[in-house]
Amino acid sequence: MRGDQHVSLSLATAALLIAPWATVIDPPVIAVLLFGVFVGSLAPDADAVDAAIFNGRIAGAKGKRGQVVNGFAVVLPVFGYTIRYLIYYPLSLVFMLLLRKSYRHRHRGLLHSFSGVALTTLVLSGYLALILTWLGSSLALLPAFGCAFFAGCILHLVEDTCTPAGVAWLYPFSRRRVAGRVRSRGSFEVRPAAFTIVLVVAAAGFSVAPFVTDIPVEELGSLALVAAPVLWLLFMLVSRVRPERRQ
């Protein structure tokens, strides 16, 4: 998918999950969570030289929403080049030494796998901890950023799973891909935009629910935690996600 689609779908999903808790979570924590998802939603594409995370702006993000998103996007190259040269390449070298000829650099390879994004999250969090410690800053919000970054990466993988190129979730241990039929380039495709609207509407509903119902915040949070994967499952069914043979 395009960078703007990754950002929109991931942030809309995060908004849905956070919405029930908006009245009880401190605003700085919410900001860190959304920022972590924002960066994570683009991070797996750091294995491609033309990725949005290197540009400092999100092409396709327009209007006031685009201005806000691109205001934060100026820091994306810092994360992009850090991930590419200080995390992806070293991890690739380790896997290359361990797996020898069964591993090679490729787009939608290591950074588009569960093990790849998990290790990237751990190493990036370690770098940030060292920097914050050196600056004498608090590490209190680092776990929130790390969890949100990982969630953004996973959402990126789920989104790419809906496309024809698919994702090999267990790469480099398995090259079996799961793919769908959502084409984001060279064709008229409305499904990502339509699903983003569905997620935003659901998030809006959960955000107003504490004020118009007597349902406890904890129960609303549990409902949102169920609603998000159910909606994604429906979207993946609409996208006709299917396993493919190893290529």
Side-chain angles (χ1 to χ4, degrees):
M1 289 188 181
R2 300 192 311 266
D4 61 307
Q5 293 172 324
H6 280 302
V7 170
S8 297
L9 286 167
S10 299
L11 286 180
T13 304
L16 170 57
L17 294 171
I18 294 172
W21 305 96
T23 58
V24 297
I25 299 179
D26 292 335
V29 176
I30 294 178
V32 169
L33 290 173
L34 292 176
F35 182 68
V37 171
F38 171 59
V39 177
S41 71
L42 298 172
D45 280 341
D47 59 1
V49 294
D50 59 345
I53 198 168
F54 298 120
N55 296 332
R57 68 182 304 274
I58 308 299
K62 301 178 181 179
K64 292 183 178 180
R65 178 184 65 87
Q67 293 177 355
V68 173
V69 170
N70 284 321
F72 290 101
V74 294
V75 302
L76 285 177
V78 176
F79 287 96
Y81 287 109
T82 298
I83 293 170
R84 183 176 181 85
Y85 292 104
L86 299 182
I87 300 178
Y88 171 57
Y89 282 162
L91 288 178
S92 292
L93 178 61
V94 171
F95 279 106
M96 192 176 298
L97 293 174
L98 292 175
L99 303 177
R100 298 177 181 272
K101 294 183 179 181
S102 61
Y103 177 85
R104 63 187 178 90
H105 290 296
R106 57 182 299 177
H107 179 48
R108 295 205 182 187
L110 181 61
L111 285 185
H112 279 72
S113 70
F114 183 84
S115 59
V117 297
L119 290 171
T120 297
T121 301
L122 290 175
V123 177
L124 180 62
S125 297
Y127 286 152
L128 291 175
L130 291 175
I131 293 172
L132 291 173
T133 301
W134 179 67
L135 293 174
S137 301
S138 171
L139 303 181
L141 293 177
L142 183 58
F145 174 83
C147 292
F149 176 86
F150 179 68
C153 291
I154 292 296
L155 286 168
H156 181 113
L157 268 57
V158 172
E159 290 149 12
D160 277 351
T161 297
C162 299
T163 66
V167 168
W169 283 80
L170 299 181
Y171 186 86
F173 308 105
S174 171
R175 297 186 183 181
R176 186 175 181 83
R177 291 181 174 269
V178 182
R181 298 184 180 180
V182 174
R183 298 185 181 273
S184 59
R185 301 178 187 273
S187 62
F188 181 70
E189 178 62 73
V190 300
R191 282 175 286 188
F195 185 51
T196 299
I197 293 173
V198 171
L199 291 170
V200 169
V201 170
F206 276 104
S207 66
V208 301
F211 304 100
V212 298
T213 70
D214 295 327
I215 303 176
V217 170
E218 293 77 8
E219 292 186 18
L220 288 173
S222 298
L223 289 173
L225 197 60
V226 172
V230 168
L231 289 174
W232 266 105
L233 178 60
L234 292 175
F235 179 65
M236 295 179 77
L237 291 175
V238 170
S239 304
R240 300 181 185 179
V241 172
R242 66 200 185 284
E244 292 185 344
R245 294 181 179 179
R246 174 179 174 180
Q247 297 179 352

